[in-house]
Amino acid sequence: MVLPLLVVIGTSFGSTGQLVFPPRGFSLVWYNQFLSNPSWKGAVVNSLITSSGTAVLSTFLGVTAAFGLKGVESKSLQYFVPIALLPLLLPAVVIAVILLTYLSELGLHRSYFAIIIAHSLWATPLVFFIMQAVLAQFDWQLRDAANDLGAGPIRSFAEVILPNVKNGIFASALIAFIISLQEFVMALFLSGQDTRTIPVLAWIGLRNELDPTISVVSTLLIVVAMLLVVPAALAIGLERLAKQL
């Protein structure tokens, strides 16, 4: 599983203009070309905007849903979990076509909003499941004790619940950010000239010209994903994170 990643990383340091492994020579020229290219800079900004928006929206929705499910006791809620899983079972191209058809009627199909909504459909269920695992470890008698001592819902959440689950919220936001950063199909359908993300621009580059710059982009995405997964795993525990993903 790791070997293909090493091949991609290795080709990004080649000194020739072709994708060759093992690389012929060692050079950072392709990294410099990536950093000096206005199109790639724009794609980086677009990816940061859409990934941050996805992290905020999906974390809010997923955390709220997880808390709501814990706060209500009803047999009918057992059907909510399979429903929450449905977006993950739909192919990305199906979601993209549906959103493209609907949002084009509103003139939003080439906007950041469209990409954020699409990515949130995948990220929110994961946030929900991660928070379910986190909340399952929380002692709800602490909240009840705070309420008995006169704390209102907001104060009990801020001073009792949040300090105990903040690591889970932080990890959920990071996972949502990674999902949006790496997703390609929905972004391809819903992005425009000014909203292309890094994976979309990489795909366009593969169609037009195959050079080591694509390996540079892939390497940077791999590194960023690894750097974000590590703190997420440390925040809630690697075993619990693996079970939810």
Side-chain angles (χ1 to χ4, degrees):
M1 293 177 62
V2 177
L3 184 59
L5 303 182
L6 297 179
V7 172
V8 171
I9 295 173
T11 57
S12 68
F13 292 101
S15 58
T16 64
Q18 298 178 345
L19 291 176
V20 179
F21 188 85
R24 299 173 182 173
F26 179 86
S27 176
L28 296 176
V29 63
W30 303 109
Y31 284 86
N32 181 64
Q33 181 171 319
F34 169 80
L35 295 175
S36 61
N37 191 311
S39 297
W40 285 115
K41 289 182 180 180
V44 170
V45 173
N46 293 337
S47 291
L48 291 177
I49 292 174
T50 55
S51 298
S52 299
T54 300
V56 172
L57 179 59
S58 59
T59 301
F60 173 77
L61 295 176
V63 171
T64 303
F67 273 105
L69 193 62
K70 284 292 181 181
V72 179
E73 294 183 3
S74 174
K75 291 183 179 180
S76 61
L77 290 179
Q78 63 182 330
Y79 301 107
F80 179 80
V81 175
I83 293 176
L85 185 64
L86 283 178
L88 293 176
L89 303 179
L90 292 176
V93 65
V94 174
I95 298 177
V97 171
I98 293 174
L99 288 178
L100 178 62
T101 303
Y102 177 72
L103 294 177
S104 61
E105 297 293 332
L106 304 176
L108 298 173
H109 58 295
R110 301 297 182 187
S111 63
Y112 295 121
F113 175 79
I115 304 174
I116 291 173
I117 291 296
H119 289 176
S120 295
L121 289 175
W122 267 9
T124 299
L126 293 178
V127 173
F128 171 74
F129 292 127
I130 291 174
M131 288 307 302
Q132 271 202 316
V134 172
L135 295 178
Q137 304 298 320
F138 177 69
D139 186 0
W140 291 94
Q141 291 182 350
L142 296 175
R143 182 197 61 179
D144 297 336
N147 293 337
D148 292 340
L149 293 173
I154 297 179
R155 185 176 181 183
S156 63
F157 173 80
E159 298 185 7
V160 178
I161 300 177
L162 184 59
N164 289 278
V165 301
K166 61 182 180 180
N167 288 343
I169 297 176
F170 172 71
S172 300
L174 289 181
I175 296 301
F177 186 93
I178 294 173
I179 291 172
S180 178
L181 185 67
Q182 303 281 343
E183 203 284 324
F184 159 68
V185 176
M186 291 185 284
L188 177 64
F189 276 78
L190 297 171
S191 63
Q193 181 71 29
D194 298 326
T195 58
R196 289 172 178 167
T197 60
I198 294 176
V200 173
L201 192 59
W203 180 78
I204 295 175
L206 286 173
R207 293 184 60 189
N208 298 331
E209 183 180 4
L210 187 61
D211 62 43
T213 305
I214 304 301
S215 295
V216 171
V217 175
S218 302
T219 299
L220 294 177
L221 289 176
I222 293 170
V223 171
V224 170
M226 293 179 62
L227 291 177
L228 293 180
V229 166
V230 170
L234 293 176
I236 64 174
L238 182 60
E239 181 179 354
R240 189 187 305 171
L241 181 63
K243 287 181 179 180
Q244 298 305 314
L245 297 181

